[in-house]
Amino acid sequence: MDYEKGLSPAIYHLKQRTAQLLSDLLSIDLDIIEMELDKQGLNKLLDDPEGDTLNEDQKQALKDLGELFKISTGG
Amino acid sequence: MQFKEDKKRFAELFASFTGIKKDKVEDFLKNNEISNVFEHPASLKPTMKQLEKINALKEMQNIYSNLKHYQNEYFINSSTLAKDYFINYFNNEKSQEKFVAAFLNSKNKIIQTVEIFKGTINEAPIYPREVTKLALLYDASSVIVSHNHPGESLRASSADIEVTRKIYEALRTQNIKLVDHIIVGGKDATSLAEDGTFNSIVESRVREEKNHYKALGEKIEAGIATAEDIQKYNALQEKQYQESLKAAKENLAHNITQSMDLVR
């Protein structure tokens, strides 16, 4: 998650903020969330998270959060 | 009215993330829509810690819905897509006129869309400088600008055309292309690239340059050119040479691609 990857400053800060919020809401280590956001992207992470870095409870919490947003945004 | 099942499931999830009792959320949702939970969280009488969680959820939800909204329209490579994108962007905004710019990379992917100004277009001489500054900041290859007409007229005013010309000129000095100017009126839009306004802007620039070049040449021939005139003449000559070289290269690349397609 750095400028070397070609992110514009605004998107870089948005990604940083997203990672921070997810980490606070789900009590997942910030480094792990940043890494998974880079790897999987937000939609995938909130829909069907993959990989061994996150444990099953954390994956379920991410899916629950995605479901909450889908219900509240009507889709 | 949202479905009862949705509200029930929302209450369950919301309670698990914020620590507020599920019954309390369900009671609130009996007479309220889900969005009210985020708009009026105090109605749930949360503790400070719970309120912080609600605010974090609200912020995260905004990010999520914005990304979701834009993900399907991340690439703009036609005036039709550009019109759709900005119609959605303005979302029938009628309270005021806004001027925005979408900055694109070389693959027509939107790097960022920025609101440049609120107010009527002829009151903002600062547009060209602002747009160019941001295009450089985002390292954009091209830019599409757009503004809404709260009165829903789709006709470009003379101020609209003038500002387009100025932005086009300002970006051109940095080798950044102004691709289009979309005017949005309610749920419809017009593209200045599509309606020919853009062509006339480019043609008038080329015509002006040619006339200027011709006039300078005549001055040189008549022996009345200043050193500055000669310098300008040489610069224009060099520019024309570079432009024709660029066009020839593009033509060659196009021909090679076509030949390769034929081989395949």
Side-chain angles (χ1 to χ4, degrees):
Chain A
M1 197 186 281
D2 47 30
Y3 284 119
E4 282 72 40
K5 288 189 176 161
L7 294 172
S8 74
I11 298 206
Y12 175 77
H13 290 301
L14 183 68
K15 282 192 84 174
Q16 265 194 328
R17 183 69 188 140
T18 304
Q20 187 64 58
L21 286 166
L22 287 176
S23 168
D24 291 348
L25 281 165
L26 309 175
S27 306
I28 301 175
D29 192 79
L30 182 62
D31 290 343
I32 292 176
I33 277 290
E34 282 186 343
M35 192 173 71
E36 292 304 317
L37 262 178
D38 269 345
K39 246 197 297 187
Q40 305 189 42
L42 183 62
N43 283 329
K44 172 81 180 149
L45 209 53
L46 293 182
D47 188 39
D48 182 22
E50 286 175 346
D52 302 330
T53 320
L54 296 162
N55 64 38
E56 288 310 310
D57 287 346
Q58 290 169 330
K59 284 181 191 168
Q60 188 55 50
L62 282 160
K63 278 166 85 169
D64 286 347
L65 191 62
E67 190 184 351
L68 179 115
F69 292 149
K70 271 182 197 155
I71 297 172
S72 60
T73 55
Chain B
M1 187 70 174
Q2 278 160 308
F3 292 111
K4 266 186 181 175
E5 292 77 14
D6 274 354
K7 284 190 171 182
K8 207 175 161 192
R9 179 67 178 144
F10 177 86
E12 199 179 323
L13 291 166
F14 189 81
S16 75
F17 284 115
T18 59
I20 295 176
K21 283 189 175 164
K22 187 181 146 197
D23 296 349
K24 213 194 246 187
V25 185
E26 279 181 340
D27 275 351
F28 178 80
L29 289 176
K30 274 179 192 162
N31 301 311
N32 287 283
E33 294 303 313
I34 287 172
S35 59
N36 290 346
V37 173
F38 291 114
E39 295 308 319
H40 310 288
S43 311
L44 293 166
K45 298 189 176 67
T47 62
M48 278 308 285
K49 207 175 167 188
Q50 288 168 341
L51 187 62
E52 275 174 22
K53 290 267 185 194
I54 297 172
N55 286 333
L57 273 179
K58 187 182 173 185
E59 191 181 345
M60 190 62 232
Q61 190 215 32
N62 282 338
I63 293 174
Y64 173 81
S65 56
N66 279 330
L67 289 177
K68 193 177 150 202
H69 175 69
Y70 289 121
Q71 69 181 353
N72 295 330
E73 294 157 325
Y74 218 50
F75 290 88
I76 297 184
N77 56 9
S78 70
S79 50
T80 309
L81 283 178
K83 283 193 280 188
D84 283 349
Y85 178 78
F86 286 108
I87 289 170
N88 276 319
Y89 181 94
F90 286 111
N91 194 23
N92 219 3
E93 164 74 62
K94 284 181 182 164
S95 61
Q96 59 186 333
E97 195 167 313
K98 287 179 185 171
F99 192 94
V100 299
F103 300 94
L104 281 71
N105 71 10
S106 57
K107 290 176 181 165
N108 298 316
K109 184 178 175 182
I110 297 178
I111 302 165
Q112 187 69 280
T113 301
V114 179
E115 187 180 301
I116 309 285
F117 189 80
K118 282 180 191 164
T120 51
I121 203 164
N122 44 2
E123 285 170 3
I126 204 164
Y127 290 153
R129 210 175 57 194
E130 274 302 301
V131 175
T132 311
K133 202 167 74 182
L134 288 167
L136 290 171
L137 174 73
Y138 292 122
D139 197 18
S141 294
S142 57
V143 178
I144 300 175
V145 292
S146 176
H147 78 285
N148 63 320
H149 281 174
E152 299 198 4
S153 152
L154 292 176
R155 207 171 151 209
S157 67
S158 53
D160 294 342
I161 296 170
E162 184 56 16
V163 87
T164 309
R165 195 186 61 76
K166 282 183 178 166
I167 294 172
Y168 168 83
E169 293 291 350
L171 287 172
R172 206 173 63 85
T173 61
Q174 304 297 329
N175 283 327
I176 301 166
K177 206 173 166 190
L178 180 65
V179 184
D180 207 340
H181 184 164
I182 305 290
I183 295 172
V184 177
K187 292 185 175 172
D188 209 350
T190 191
S191 147
L192 297 197
E194 214 171 45
D195 77 0
T197 308
F198 247 65
N199 274 348
S200 55
I201 289 172
V202 176
E203 278 165 13
S204 93
R205 199 256 320 158
V206 172
R207 207 167 36 242
E208 271 172 32
E209 219 163 61
K210 271 187 180 165
N211 288 342
H212 189 47
Y213 180 68
K214 197 178 157 198
L216 287 171
E218 283 167 1
K219 272 173 120 180
I220 292 169
E221 260 187 38
I224 53 168
T226 62
E228 199 188 341
D229 287 338
I230 296 169
Q231 207 178 0
K232 275 183 189 166
Y233 181 83
N234 288 337
L236 280 170
Q237 202 169 35
E238 172 65 18
K239 205 177 125 213
Q240 281 182 0
Y241 170 71
Q242 291 299 340
E243 277 176 4
S244 59
L245 199 65
K246 195 180 160 201
K249 275 184 189 168
E250 280 171 1
N251 199 20
L252 185 66
H254 177 69
N255 288 341
I256 290 172
T257 314
Q258 279 194 330
S259 318
M260 286 174 76
D261 283 345
L262 280 175
V263 172
R264 274 188 215 121

